[in-house]
Amino acid sequence: MSQTTTFGDWLKTRRIAKKQTLRAFAHRAGIDPGNLSRYERGVLAPPQDAVVLERIGNALEIRKNTEEWREMVSLAAVGGGRIPPDITGDPDLLNALPILFRAMKGKKLTREDLIRLAKKIQES
């Protein structure tokens, strides 16, 4: 993923790079300009509907199944409080999530847990 940390920042950066005003881009993507502004400012959670994400991707001229497409979908999922599809689609990585969640909650991990987690991260 890029240095951008939120879907809204990602979207705004790419829209501006395309030299599109907010209203022109919203029209091109077929979304409400007010909602686009709210997405960019992080006031509204990113769209989760695949059709809306596809319209945004098309307006940005991003082809499906590219790294940039996966980044958009992942940032939208995370911004909506969901696990990104590239993680849920990887059974090994998905199985490692409980280890990560325990670590995030401050519970002590075993040496084996840490080694398994490190291997999963290295493999991805």
Side-chain angles (χ1 to χ4, degrees):
M1 247 182 251
S2 73
Q3 297 297 323
T4 306
T5 58
T6 67
F7 177 83
D9 290 339
W10 181 92
L11 179 56
K12 185 175 184 177
T13 298
R14 277 150 185 80
R15 174 182 61 78
I16 290 171
K18 293 285 183 187
K19 299 182 182 350
Q20 291 285 314
T21 65
L22 189 136
R23 288 191 177 281
F25 183 83
H27 178 73
R28 185 173 180 192
I31 58 179
D32 177 74
N35 284 343
L36 176 59
S37 173
R38 291 191 257 311
Y39 293 147
E40 289 186 353
R41 292 180 290 127
V43 174
L44 184 63
Q48 301 302 303
D49 186 324
V51 173
V52 175
L53 289 171
E54 186 170 340
R55 290 195 319 245
I56 290 170
N58 289 340
L60 290 170
E61 300 172 347
I62 299 172
R63 290 195 330 256
K64 279 188 174 182
N65 300 318
T66 62
E67 185 59 34
E68 197 170 18
W69 183 273
R70 286 187 289 275
E71 182 179 26
M72 176 184 67
V73 172
S74 289
L75 286 170
V78 168
R82 294 183 20 235
I83 297 172
D86 54 333
I87 292 175
T88 58
D90 181 337
D92 291 333
L93 195 51
L94 194 58
N95 288 334
L97 285 179
I99 299 167
L100 178 61
F101 293 145
R102 280 198 306 270
M104 290 170 49
K105 288 182 179 180
K107 294 184 180 176
K108 186 164 175 73
L109 298 177
T110 67
R111 180 170 167 32
E112 292 77 27
D113 286 341
L114 289 171
I115 291 169
R116 265 195 1 239
L117 182 58
K119 284 181 181 177
K120 295 299 175 196
I121 292 169
Q122 288 172 342
E123 293 169 0
S124 55

